[in-house]
Amino acid sequence: MAATQTDIGLVKQVNQDSLTVKVADTKLGEVSFAVICDGMGGLAKGELASAIVVRAFEKWFYEQLPLRLGQLKEAILRKEWEQLIADCNSRIRQEGSQNMGTTLTAMLLFAGHYYVIHVGDCRAYELTGEMFQLTQDQTYVAREVALGHMTKEQARTDSRRNVLLQCIGVKEAVEPQFLSGRVVPGACYLLCSDGFRHEVSKQEIREKIEEEVWEQVKSHNNQEGIMKGMNRALDRLISMSKSRGERDNISAILIQTMEEIQAC
């Protein structure tokens, strides 16, 4: 099951985030697919850039994925996604003359595995009893933290914290991060734009999902009740961010795998 929420935020005139989530029952099992993009650029340019990428991945889901499900190979999936990104990069550069771009995080869950491709600073998390960040921010401050030149505390307030090292539509080449792993039964998988996480902590996100979603699961509630809990969790976290002054667009996708979870 999956839930989505997006909010224009307190300041911007346009919501430049774009997202999509698809859940399909197939003869080979359930498929969940989620894409989130955070566009940037003046006027409607950021909105256009993020929409171009989301639509391209939606087209792949409908036209290419059904051909792959019988024998899904990671190497082929990665190659197709990287080509999609390269094609989108070229199109956005033509549309915007390097004045617009977008980040991307996309996730496919199928047959007990997840696959993620990532550009920029949207994030994918795995939530069990803990909250683990799957993706790596492709930002200046994240690189400096990884190199030991800056602490995480310094990175949070550094004036360069929003400087991206990778973005679709700005440079001639894009170097996405690709990763895969086994789905944890009962876990939640969260994709979010950076506006979703600036003002709320990992602990607050995990606690709100435990309160609104996992309690429904552990109580053996029906799918409608769990879905309502998922949407409440996202809505309350977005409201919390806005109450603390978040200025960016705020978007998130939450996917719940339907197995019994362990109590936190």
Side-chain angles (χ1 to χ4, degrees), residues 205-216 218 233 261 263-264:
I205 294 172
R206 188 189 63 80
E207 289 177 348
K208 190 60 63 179
I209 289 173
E210 178 182 12
E211 175 186 338
E212 298 291 352
V213 182
W214 291 340
E215 288 302 323
Q216 299 282 341
K218 288 185 285 187
I261 65 166
C264 299

Side-chain angles (χ1 to χ4, degrees), residues 15-249:
N15 190 342
Q16 296 184 318
D17 291 352
S18 294
L19 53 82
T20 189
V21 61
K22 309 293 182 186
V23 179
D25 288 321
T26 76
K27 294 180 180 179
L28 300 173
E30 186 175 271
V31 178
S32 297
F33 182 61
V35 184
I36 192 164
C37 295
D38 182 354
M40 59 210 74
L43 299 176
K45 290 183 177 180
E47 181 183 14
L48 175 59
S50 63
I52 285 172
V53 176
V54 166
R55 289 168 186 163
F57 273 80
E58 282 185 327
K59 184 178 181 181
W60 174 87
F61 175 83
Y62 287 120
E63 296 182 1
Q64 298 302 317
L65 181 60
L67 306 177
R68 304 283 179 256
L69 288 180
Q71 194 174 10
L72 185 63
K73 294 185 177 180
E74 183 175 315
I76 294 175
L77 179 65
R78 178 175 185 171
K79 183 178 180 180
E80 289 185 346
W81 282 0
E82 288 179 346
Q83 187 60 55
L84 265 182
I85 289 171
D87 293 344
C88 288
N89 189 61
S90 297
R91 180 180 170 188
I92 293 169
R93 283 170 58 82
Q94 292 171 0
E95 293 271 358
S97 301
Q98 302 181 41
N99 292 323
M100 66 179 184
T102 184
T103 64
L104 159 74
T105 301
M107 172 179 275
L108 175 71
L109 296 95
F110 175 66
H113 291 80
Y114 65 76
Y115 308 90
V116 177
I117 198 157
H118 167 75
V119 178
D121 64 351
C122 287
R123 287 182 180 176
Y125 291 99
E126 181 181 75
L127 292 90
T128 55
E130 302 295 333
M131 183 170 177
F132 178 69
Q133 183 179 333
L134 298 173
T135 52
Q136 299 172 359
D137 294 346
Q138 294 179 321
T139 62
Y140 172 82
V141 295
R143 184 187 65 186
E144 293 303 290
V145 170
L147 292 172
H149 299 162
M150 185 183 295
T151 67
K152 290 183 179 180
E153 291 70 25
Q154 291 171 328
R156 290 190 186 99
T157 58
D158 192 279
S159 60
R160 298 160 293 183
R161 63 187 179 275
N162 294 322
V163 175
L164 294 170
L165 300 179
Q166 293 289 324
C167 179
I168 302 172
V170 176
K171 298 181 180 179
E172 288 187 8
V174 183
E175 298 179 7
Q177 176 194 9
F178 182 90
L179 59 116
S180 62
R182 292 199 64 85
V183 172
V184 176
C188 279
Y189 291 88
L190 172 69
L191 278 64
C192 64
S193 62
D194 61 329
F196 182 82
R197 57 176 172 80
H198 286 154
E199 300 296 335
V200 294
S201 67
K202 288 170 62 175
Q203 180 178 349
E204 288 173 320
I205 294 172
R206 188 189 63 80
E207 289 177 348
K208 190 60 63 179
I209 289 173
E210 178 182 12
E211 175 186 338
E212 298 291 352
V213 182
W214 291 340
E215 288 302 323
Q216 299 282 341
V217 175
K218 288 185 285 187
S219 299
H220 303 288
N221 209 332
N222 58 29
Q223 290 194 6
E224 182 180 357
I226 296 170
M227 281 291 297
K228 287 181 178 178
M230 294 168 70
N231 279 292
R232 277 197 306 269
L234 295 182
D235 184 63
R236 291 181 179 181
L237 286 163
I238 289 173
S239 296
M240 189 184 301
S241 292
K242 292 171 69 176
S243 72
R244 296 175 182 177
E246 176 56 52
R247 299 169 62 85
D248 204 352
N249 304 143

